DNA sequence: TATTGTTATACTCTATAACTATA
DNA sequence: TATAGTTATAGAGTATAACAATA
């Protein structure tokens, strides 16, 4: 699991001292990483990489998306996306359909197998995550949400 | 910048509906990604990958660390770390020094050039980040810290 | 001319396992 | 036997740029 350039978890305490925002930065990274690690651990059995899963979950409940749309949502650049889609196609999970209205376009849709995977794995994963978020009281969830919004707003 | 398996940013709204923890998860990911993107943007000019920068910043203000220690702090596995250190050595930023007390060990230290890079880039990057964290009031920083601690604790 | 997606290239990281040299 | 680090291998993502087909 890769991280930001500044890695407050590895940082030498001597180096970090006297910067009072560092504990906050540290907790932001730790909280995210704890979440991401838990998320990934619920995902071991499915034979997809993170970018591949990202694409499958992005395509779920849509009628297909173009490369451009998928790239915008997942932040995968077009050259890379071609390869990711190739591998998903090899696995039989998605298919390419030419757009009738613009012949430069390709629409990517889940196959029946891909839809099956999505419908099985996505709700399972959501429940897996929900189990942990639900350990926070509603009021704590609200406070965390507000704090995170403020935090995001400064960047 | 890679992310968790569940990517609340790409998720279809129809899919996300009726799970009330989703906004919180979404904000956690967005806040982290906003931070990480800002962090990376302050880092464009330095010719280091994220794992490489991570190692250099980890070695800063130490007398050198063994492969084992670096691996534990940065979460880079030993096989990968050998390659990362090789490339940093090629760039003249670190050097390998055999440990006198245990001849299986290698201590990795910053060279003068590596130390120079660290002493220039690290404080600059910290200031760059501090500028944004400081936009939050002290009380907001404290609240955010508390919320993030609770959030991390559930995972 | 601009846009969509593909291809090509080169590099880095990742995971895994076998290997060496020490302890 | 166990540990520290290296080597080998295979795969996947990344960035970048040139390219073909179409708009």
């Amino acid at each position: 699991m890769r991280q930001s350039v500044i890695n407050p978890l590895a940082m030498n305490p001597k180096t970090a001292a006297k910067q009072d925002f560092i504990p906050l930065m540290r907790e932001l990274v730790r909280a995210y990483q704890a979440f991401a690690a838990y998320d990934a651990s619920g995902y071991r059995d499915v034979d997809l990489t993170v970018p591949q899963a990202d694409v499958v979950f992005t395509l779920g409940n849509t009628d297909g998306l173009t490369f451009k749309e998928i790239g915008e949502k997942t932040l995968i650049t077009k050259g890379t996306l071609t390869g990711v889609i190739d591998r998903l196609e090899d696995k039989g999970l998605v298919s390419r359909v030419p757009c009738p209205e613009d012949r430069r376009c390709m629409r990517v849709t889940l196959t029946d197998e891909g839809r099956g995977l999505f419908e099985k794995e996505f709700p399972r994963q959501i429940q897996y995550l929900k189990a942990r978020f639900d350990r926070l009281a509603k009021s704590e969830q609200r406070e965390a949400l507000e704090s995170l919004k403020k935090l995001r707003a400064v960047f």
Side-chain angles (χ1 to χ4, degrees), chain A residues 5-41:
Chain A
V5 175
I6 289 279
N7 175 1
L9 310 186
M11 208 190 284
N12 187 316
K14 221 162 72 187
T15 314
K18 291 183 199 139
Q19 287 293 349
D20 56 5
F21 74 95
I22 300 237
L24 174 54
M25 179 171 74
R26 189 183 167 86
E27 276 309 314
L28 174 60
V29 173
R30 292 183 78 179
Y32 174 80
Q33 289 190 353
F35 158 73
Y38 178 76
D39 182 38
S41 76

Side-chain angles (χ1 to χ4, degrees), chain A residues 142-153:
Chain A
R142 268 194 303 276
E143 287 162 14
L145 181 61
E146 285 314 306
S147 280
L148 286 167
K149 278 183 182 170
K150 287 179 190 167
L151 208 42
R152 175 169 65 84

Side-chain angles (χ1 to χ4, degrees), chain A residues 35-48:
Chain A
F35 158 73
Y38 178 76
D39 182 38
S41 76
Y43 206 70
R44 292 243 166 75
D45 305 334
V46 185
D47 183 31
L48 293 178

Side-chain angles (χ1 to χ4, degrees), chain A residues 32 50-56 58 65-82 84-85 152:
Chain A
Y32 174 80
V50 168
Q52 288 167 16
D54 196 357
V55 169
V56 169
T58 300
L65 299 171
T66 64
F67 272 77
K68 189 170 193 292
E69 291 168 331
I70 298 172
E72 283 163 358
K73 283 173 183 283
T74 62
L75 307 179
I76 301 171
T77 52
K78 60 185 182 176
T80 304
L81 192 54
T82 296
V84 174
I85 299 293
R152 175 169 65 84

